[in-house]
Amino acid sequence: MRNLIVGSAWLSPIALIILWQRAPILGLAIMALSHAAWLYATLRANVQWLGPVITRFETNAREVWLTIDDGPTSDTPAILDLLQASRVAATFFVKGALAAKNGDLVRAIIERGNNVANHSDDHPSGAFWRLLPAEIARQIDRCNATLQSLTSTRPIWFRAPVGMKNPAVHPALEQRGMRLIGWSVRGLDTVRSDPADVATRIVPRAQPGSIIVLHQGRQNSLACLQRVISDLQAQGYAFVIPADERLKTKR
Ligand SMILES: [Zn+2]
């Protein structure tokens, strides 16, 4: 599918030239559609056209995976206290550049029974979709190197900034034996930070095997995490970090 999308986008100008005399509208339509497919698959999180995106995990139990993005930030110790008090383990998708400056926070995340994964080096939210392959590789490798030096383990999971993945992302991950992690439900807590609103977006949509994404480093991050954890626990959900072989690409 990736080759089809990328190939047709590259070849569509040739179709336009061939069709220009007899059917210019058709030629333009082919070019627009092929580029639209490329853009849609790149910008729309969890769309699998360019390669597999993990969107849930296999389970027979009432359990979910909590993932916390954009740290490590100064609220990390308070979040770790909350997780421990709630008997919750979570995966922190961290930015490499922040991790390099806050090695003590990364080590605390691990020591308290959680794990860390790669969320790019400096999180170029507005530009990640159009980065060239060498720049994508740099974003992945710098974060991996920082986390490996801090934890002695190389991350196997990558979450793209804002979920964007252009055609260079999957080949880079495949070369490194890594997987692209999306989500099942998100609270949009960076847009609407009221904890009750965030919980309303997540809790009714959660199912066994759901991957939940929340953020840290915002004013209400701790309150949002607290609310979502307690509401899901009230519904009988446990929080686990699934083994890699349990991860699935279909909802
Ligand atoms: Zn992020």
Side-chain angles (χ1 to χ4, degrees), residues 128 136 140 158 160 164-174 180:
F128 191 77
I136 297 277
I140 296 170
F158 177 75
M164 294 180 295
K165 64 270 175 265
N166 69 24
V169 172
H170 279 96
L173 293 176
E174 285 158 16
L180 182 62

Side-chain angles (χ1 to χ4, degrees), residues 139-159:
Q139 286 287 336
I140 296 170
D141 287 341
R142 286 184 69 139
C143 184
N144 273 359
T146 299
L147 294 183
Q148 180 153 23
S149 74
L150 290 169
T151 69
S152 308
T153 308
R154 196 174 72 86
I156 53 169
W157 295 332
F158 177 75
R159 177 171 281 150

Side-chain angles (χ1 to χ4, degrees), residues 183-221:
W183 54 79
S184 322
V185 279
R186 59 175 170 169
L188 294 176
D189 51 312
T190 56
V191 185
R192 293 175 64 182
S193 64
D194 178 65
D197 284 349
V198 171
T200 302
R201 298 193 68 88
I202 290 179
V203 178
R205 295 186 176 96
Q207 294 173 1
S210 283
I211 303 169
I212 292 163
V213 55
L214 286 166
H215 294 79
Q216 62 175 126
R218 276 78 169 182
Q219 194 186 352
N220 274 355
S221 295

Side-chain angles (χ1 to χ4, degrees), residues 69-70 119 123 161-162 215:
D69 287 7
D70 291 359
H119 191 37
H123 204 281
V162 209
H215 294 79

Side-chain angles (χ1 to χ4, degrees), residues 5 7 10 12 19 38 50 109 121 123 129 143 177 181-182 184 191 233 236 238 247:
I5 289 172
W10 279 110
S12 63
L19 292 167
W38 176 322
L50 296 171
I109 289 171
D121 194 51
H123 204 281
W129 68 277
C143 184
I181 311 295
S184 322
V191 185
Q233 286 181 330
L247 304 184

Side-chain angles (χ1 to χ4, degrees), residues 20 33 39 62 88 92 114 117 132-133 141 170 180 187 194 251:
W20 189 248
L33 281 174
L39 272 178
R62 205 163 166 78
V88 168
F92 289 72
N114 308 281
L132 297 171
D141 287 341
H170 279 96
L180 182 62
D194 178 65
R251 278 171 204 272

